[in-house]
Amino acid sequence: DRPKQTKVNQMKVSEARANVGGLSNPSKMPCKSYGLPAQACKVGGKLRKVTGSTCEHCYAYDRGMYVMPVVKQAQARRLESIERADWVERMTTAINKTKYFRWHDSGDLQSASHFAKIVQVARNTPATRHWIPTREAQIVASYTGEIPSNLMVRVSAPMIDGPPPKRFTHTSTVHDKTIPVNSHICPAPLQNGECGDCRACWDSAIINVSYHNH
C-alpha cells in the first residue's frame, strides 16, 4: 500500500503561506520574497550604528512600505514561525514551485539552524531558483553541508565602496564611487528601480553583484 500523505503535504498553498506569516511582494522583484523585521538583524543591527556601512541607512528599517503596521505584523509572524517544527515543510508548500524566490527583502538569517532550514527548503524545491543575500558571514561559514545548486548565497560587504567579503564564492557590494573589478552592476536604477529581465543575483556565473548606494 502507498503511504498516506501527511496533513502538511495535503495543505493548500494559501494555508501554508498563512502558517509561515505570508510571503512578501517587493515591487522591484520579479518574484515573491520572505521578509523579516530589519530590527531583528544580528550583524545588521551593529552595522546600523557604523558610519558608512551598508546598513547605516537601511531602507527596510524605517522607510516606505516597511513602516506600515500590516507589513510589520506580517514580518513579526514570519520571525516567530521560524521556530515551528514543521516550518521547512510549510515553507516548501508555500513556495509552490515558483520559478524564482528571494529570501529576506528585509531582515537576515537569525541562526545556523535557520540557515540549515532554508537550505533544506531549497533542496525540497528543485524547480525554484533561490537567492539569499546576507551579512551573516559567520553563520554561512559555519555551515558544513552541501549548498544545493538552486540556492545562490551571496555574502554582502559591510561597508559602502568596500571590497567583497573574502572566503566566499559569491558576494555582493554597494558602491558610491568604487566598483570591484569584474562585478555585475545592478541595472535597477536605469529600469525604474526594478529588476526587469535581469536575474544576475540568482546566477552562479556572476561572482559579485554591485548595487548603487541609495
Side-chain angles (χ1 to χ4, degrees), residues 98-205:
T98 185
K99 190 173 182 180
Y100 291 92
F101 191 77
R102 173 181 175 172
W103 291 92
H104 306 149
D105 57 291
S106 63
D108 207 335
L109 294 170
Q110 297 297 297
S111 64
S113 173
H114 183 201
F115 183 53
K117 288 181 179 181
I118 290 175
V119 171
Q120 187 58 52
V121 171
R123 290 197 187 102
N124 293 350
T125 53
T128 301
R129 295 175 65 180
H130 298 257
W131 160 44
I132 177 168
T134 180
R135 288 173 180 78
E136 298 294 336
Q138 293 302 319
I139 289 177
V140 175
S142 70
Y143 184 75
T144 57
E146 182 178 352
I147 304 293
S149 60
N150 65 321
L151 174 59
M152 173 50 54
V153 180
R154 292 193 181 276
V155 179
S156 307
M159 302 299 292
I160 295 171
D161 286 331
K166 298 179 179 179
R167 298 187 297 164
F168 303 100
T169 57
H170 295 89
T171 56
S172 64
T173 52
V174 175
H175 66 265
D176 190 17
K177 300 176 181 178
T178 305
I179 301 173
V181 177
N182 297 325
S183 292
H184 175 89
I185 302 174
C186 174
L190 303 177
Q191 300 176 166
N192 197 32
E194 299 178 354
C195 295
D197 60 1
C198 179
R199 300 293 181 272
C201 294
W202 289 266
D203 191 346
S204 61

